[in-house]
């Protein structure tokens, strides 16, 4: 399992990181979000940004964007923003760039859930490093089967036999 965790972390990073270059791009906040002094959740908060606020991306580090806004400059988690898909008035009905189709203005569609996938860049992989403390923390969340069963019983859950989909009848 120890060897599988770095691969899992890399796959998660691939889901989180941006595919298009972040420099000099205008973004719009999808939700109220804190703007941090550094690209980490325990950094001091520069300001609180409101949904719909706009800013200019001036840098990127992993899943974080360095954002310049009228309220100040700082770092913001990239899933909290939307990148524009096209210039206004281009007449393009969604046939523009792939990034534009993925991150462009939302249209009236029936979707129950979505997630933005922004890819991973070679430079991000070069800067990646192993963090033994984080791996120890992750391992600390593991539970034995007996502990999981005790916890499930304590909350009123009971085992149920489920037939495999490919099982022959």
């Amino acid at each position: 399992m120890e060897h599988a965790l770095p691969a899992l972390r890399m796959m998660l990073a691939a889901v989180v990181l941006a595919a298009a270059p972040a420099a000099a791009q205008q973004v719009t906040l999808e939700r109220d979000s804190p703007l941090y002094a550094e690209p980490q959740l325990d950094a001091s908060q520069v300001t609180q940004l409101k949904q719909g606020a706009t800013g200019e991306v001036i840098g990127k580090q992993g899943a974080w964007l360095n954002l310049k806004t009228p309220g100040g400059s700082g770092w913001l988690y990239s899933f909290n923003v939307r990148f524009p898909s096209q210039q206004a008035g281009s007449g393009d009905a969604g046939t523009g760039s792939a990034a534009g189709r993925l991150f462009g203005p939302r249209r009236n569609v029936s979707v129950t859930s979505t997630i933005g996938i922004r890819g991973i860049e070679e430079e991000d992989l070069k800067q990646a490093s192993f963090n033994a403390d984080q791996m120890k923390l992750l391992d600390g969340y593991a539970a034995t089967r007996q502990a999981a069963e005790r916890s499930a019983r304590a909350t009123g859950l009971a085992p149920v036999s489920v037939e495999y989909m490919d099982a022959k009848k």
Side-chain angles (χ1 to χ4, degrees):
M1 179 164 164
E2 183 175 318
H3 296 291
L5 290 176
L8 180 61
R9 289 174 49 199
M10 292 303 284
M11 287 176 28
L12 181 59
V15 170
V16 173
L17 300 175
Q25 287 184 311
Q26 291 291 321
V27 294
T28 303
L29 268 70
E30 287 287 303
R31 63 189 58 83
D32 291 353
S33 305
L35 192 64
Y36 294 102
E38 297 176 42
Q40 51 193 14
L41 292 173
D42 59 353
S44 62
Q45 188 173 323
V46 173
T47 189
Q48 179 72 21
L49 301 173
K50 296 289 183 188
Q51 179 179 359
T54 60
E56 180 181 346
V57 177
I58 55 177
K60 179 181 136 185
Q61 182 177 331
W64 293 87
L65 299 177
N66 192 347
L67 197 62
K68 181 180 178 182
T69 71
S73 294
W75 293 88
L76 177 72
Y77 195 61
S78 63
F79 272 147
N80 294 347
V81 302
R82 173 161 294 280
F83 290 86
S85 69
Q86 59 200 31
Q87 292 182 346
S90 70
D92 185 352
T95 60
S97 71
R101 288 190 303 274
L102 289 173
F103 305 116
R106 294 189 173 137
R107 292 167 174 66
N108 291 335
V109 293
S110 296
V111 177
T112 54
S113 73
T114 63
I115 185 167
I117 300 176
R118 297 196 169 112
I120 189 167
E121 297 174 5
E122 184 177 349
E123 190 61 31
D124 296 320
L125 291 173
K126 288 178 182 176
Q127 293 178 4
S129 63
F130 178 76
N131 185 328
D133 291 335
Q134 288 294 310
M135 292 302 294
K136 286 178 186 175
L137 179 64
L138 181 63
D139 288 341
Y141 292 120
T144 65
R145 179 180 178 143
Q146 294 80 13
E149 288 174 349
R150 263 194 316 273
S151 178
R153 279 192 302 273
T155 58
L157 297 176
V160 175
S161 179
V162 178
E163 186 177 326
Y164 287 102
M165 291 180 69
D166 61 350
K168 307 225 185 229
K169 291 187 178 188

